[in-house]
Amino acid sequence: MGWLTDWRRKRVLERHRIDEALWHRSTGALSFLPRNDKLKALVLLFLAEKEFVGAHDLEVTEEMRIAIAAQACLPILELGLDWYEGWHGVLVYAGDFRVRRAETDESGVVHEWDDELAGEAMPGGPVVISWDAAAHDPAMNVVIHEFAHKLDMVNGAADGMPPLHAGMDRRAWHRVFSDAYEGFCDAVERGRETWMDPYAAEHESEFFAVVSEAFFTKASEVRRRYPDVYDQLRLFYRQDPLQHQD
Ligand SMILES: [Zn+2]
């Protein structure tokens, strides 16, 4: 990032702070968040650089903005806000929202259907979040999920492999994630009860997003079930959530 961005960010941090009571009201229920000033500083920058918009006149309150920003900033706590550059908007719906999908099959027939979504990450565009899902669905963390997709999209279409850091091994990542993904899909196909949202079996990119949610919110489960995946995520996110959980 250039000097101008550095200067702006320094000024934001010098001039603003988040009231402790407001921070607590907004994030008190999010027990997986690390309690440190670094996260709060990143949230201030996120709030300064991203624009929250409520869909259908939804009022996005300070508490909602901070709760979403805090979870969005967790994956980039050690990576930095530049990983979210190139787009600005966070669109918040009160509840799940419908999007129209269309696909043309091999014989040229166009199929259209509606998808009911709790969140969506548009390539080069906004992140869309259902506040109801973000605040009340214990089975998923839609905010971490969608922002993990954003990181996956930094190097092109979401494929389950974000840009890896120097010293990381693409083949190791691919092998480790493919093994885990295939095993998970197999369990879902057999109708077995899965510990992670079965939606992870939809695509490699969904597996990365769902296992990223688990990495930050149920770290010990991920390390126990997928120790190699845990190691790769630890290298990519440059943090070990087990150090501040449990
Ligand atoms: Zn997804």
Side-chain angles (χ1 to χ4, degrees):
M1 272 285 121
W3 66 269
L4 187 58
T5 305
D6 286 346
W7 176 78
R8 274 206 205 104
R9 288 179 178 171
K10 211 165 148 246
R11 241 169 55 127
V12 167
L13 295 179
E14 277 165 5
R15 296 185 174 190
H16 299 86
R17 56 175 206 91
I18 300 173
D19 174 73
E20 269 309 311
L22 173 62
W23 176 265
H24 189 76
R25 275 202 309 283
S26 314
T27 66
L30 307 169
S31 57
F32 55 87
L33 288 181
R35 304 282 144 194
N36 63 36
D37 291 340
K38 190 170 187 174
L39 183 64
K40 284 183 198 161
L42 200 54
V43 166
L44 274 178
L45 298 179
F46 186 94
L47 294 175
E49 295 182 23
K50 302 298 179 201
E51 187 187 7
F52 283 76
V53 177
H56 306 305
D57 295 328
L58 173 72
E59 189 203 347
V60 185
T61 64
E62 278 292 281
E63 284 86 350
M64 290 159 76
R65 285 171 3 116
I66 291 172
I68 291 171
Q71 296 174 85
C73 286
L74 180 56
I76 55 158
L77 189 62
E78 301 298 334
L79 300 176
L81 192 53
D82 293 351
W83 281 72
Y84 290 156
E85 75 180 353
W87 57 273
H88 292 285
V90 180
L91 179 60
V92 185
Y93 279 82
D96 289 4
F97 49 94
R98 269 169 195 276
V99 290
R100 195 91 188 122
R101 304 282 195 206
E103 203 171 77
T104 309
D105 72 16
E106 285 158 12
S107 52
V109 178
V110 179
H111 300 266
E112 289 191 12
W113 70 99
D114 284 332
D115 257 351
E116 185 98 358
L117 300 180
E120 191 173 27
M122 317 237 189
V127 173
V128 190
I129 298 286
S130 151
W131 176 249
D132 184 48
H136 302 124
D137 192 339
M140 60 152 94
N141 186 302
V142 64
V143 178
I144 294 176
H145 183 103
E146 299 308 333
F147 282 86
H149 280 320
K150 273 294 188 193
L151 296 175
D152 190 356
M153 290 171 186
V154 167
N155 56 348
D159 61 356
M161 193 192 282
L164 304 184
H165 309 298
M168 289 184 71
D169 181 345
R170 290 173 60 88
R171 276 176 310 181
W173 178 285
H174 187 73
R175 187 182 63 244
V176 161
F177 273 85
S178 296
D179 283 356
Y181 177 63
E182 278 163 29
F184 189 80
C185 290
D186 191 51
V188 170
E189 261 165 43
R190 288 163 191 253
R192 293 207 342 236
E193 190 85 11
T194 55
W195 68 285
M196 254 185 357
D197 189 343
Y199 188 65
E202 288 280 311
H203 188 265
E204 282 100 333
S205 63
E206 296 303 343
F207 187 81
F208 170 69
V210 173
V211 84
S212 289
E213 293 173 52
F215 179 71
F216 289 108
T217 61
K218 296 178 221 158
S220 54
E221 279 292 285
V222 181
R223 198 176 65 169
R224 189 165 68 82
R225 292 172 189 267
Y226 298 128
D228 296 338
V229 168
Y230 190 90
D231 277 343
Q232 291 296 323
L233 291 174
R234 193 172 48 77
L235 291 171
F236 172 64
Y237 288 113
R238 291 184 165 149
Q239 46 178 313
D240 186 347
L242 273 176
Q243 294 193 336
H244 57 76
Q245 277 178 28
D246 305 322

